[in-house]
Amino acid sequence: RQHGLGLLSVPWRYVACGFRSRAEIARVVRGEHIDIVVASLPFSWITGTLVARSAGIPIVWRAGGARINWLQKSSLLGVTRFMRPDVLLCNGEAVRRTFQPLVPAPVAIVPNGVDTSVFGERAGNPSRFRPREARYAGGHAGRMAPSKRPADMIEPALRLSVLFPGARVLMGW
């Protein structure tokens, strides 16, 4: 973490990272003959849009969170004066309500969720995931990031282990 005068270097490091990211995305788009860029999160919205526009291909911005602060809203309004996606892809209605007023672009909603034909109780081979000693198994399949709240599984897992001694809770992605 930066302190004192070191904080002054932070914006320049983001700019340098942006140039490197833009160059890498452009290399992949050219080398792999990419037809569309899908960017998730504002940093990649900017770098991805610059590359997509230069390459003459569409750019999709994916938005996944409904809570943004006033500085993020102001920044997004500023950015979208100069660059916009061809489509804003939201993962739910609340996200659409948050971003549609800020991003002048067509909007599509593709809800987050679980494909029960793949992850349903009768799908797949349970022995791949169920510990041998577990009579019951459940878990959290997702990114282990604080924003995804995997810690919320701990208390119910502890209660479950008392009520059902043969139960196991698995966590991973």
Side-chain angles (χ1 to χ4, degrees):
R1 194 167 165 139
Q2 294 292 319
H3 300 284
L5 291 177
L7 283 172
L8 296 175
S9 69
V10 172
W12 305 113
R13 284 189 285 163
Y14 272 96
V15 169
C17 183
F19 282 123
R20 287 191 310 272
S21 176
R22 179 181 176 189
E24 178 65 15
I25 296 167
R27 184 188 66 72
V28 170
V29 165
R30 279 190 314 272
E32 301 297 326
H33 308 290
I34 303 296
D35 296 318
I36 187 169
V37 174
V38 179
S40 184
L41 298 175
F43 184 86
S44 64
W45 292 352
I46 294 169
T47 56
T49 301
L50 293 171
V51 171
R53 294 295 177 244
S54 174
I57 60 176
I59 176 77
V60 174
W61 289 4
R62 183 205 172 268
R67 287 189 244 159
I68 60 175
N69 64 42
W70 67 269
L71 182 59
Q72 292 166 322
K73 288 179 183 178
S74 300
S75 298
L76 192 52
L77 282 170
V79 165
T80 56
R81 292 189 64 183
F82 304 101
M83 62 176 58
R84 297 178 181 147
D86 293 295
V87 174
L88 174 64
L89 183 63
C90 299
N91 68 354
E93 183 59 32
V95 176
R96 185 204 57 78
R97 283 193 307 269
T98 298
F99 284 93
Q100 190 171 32
L102 306 171
V103 180
V107 178
I109 296 176
V110 177
N112 280 349
V114 174
D115 182 346
T116 56
S117 69
V118 175
F119 297 102
E121 68 180 83
R122 300 210 191 319
N125 179 357
S127 65
R128 286 181 55 207
F129 304 104
R130 182 184 301 274
R132 290 182 201 268
E133 73 281 1
R135 181 167 178 204
Y136 308 100
H140 167 85
R143 196 163 34 97
M144 296 302 212
S147 63
K148 299 301 179 187
R149 303 177 60 163
D152 288 355
M153 288 294 295
I154 294 171
E155 183 192 347
L158 291 172
R159 280 190 274 138
L160 188 66
S161 68
V162 170
L163 295 172
F164 300 95
R168 299 292 180 268
V169 176
L170 310 171
M171 298 182 70
W173 71 81

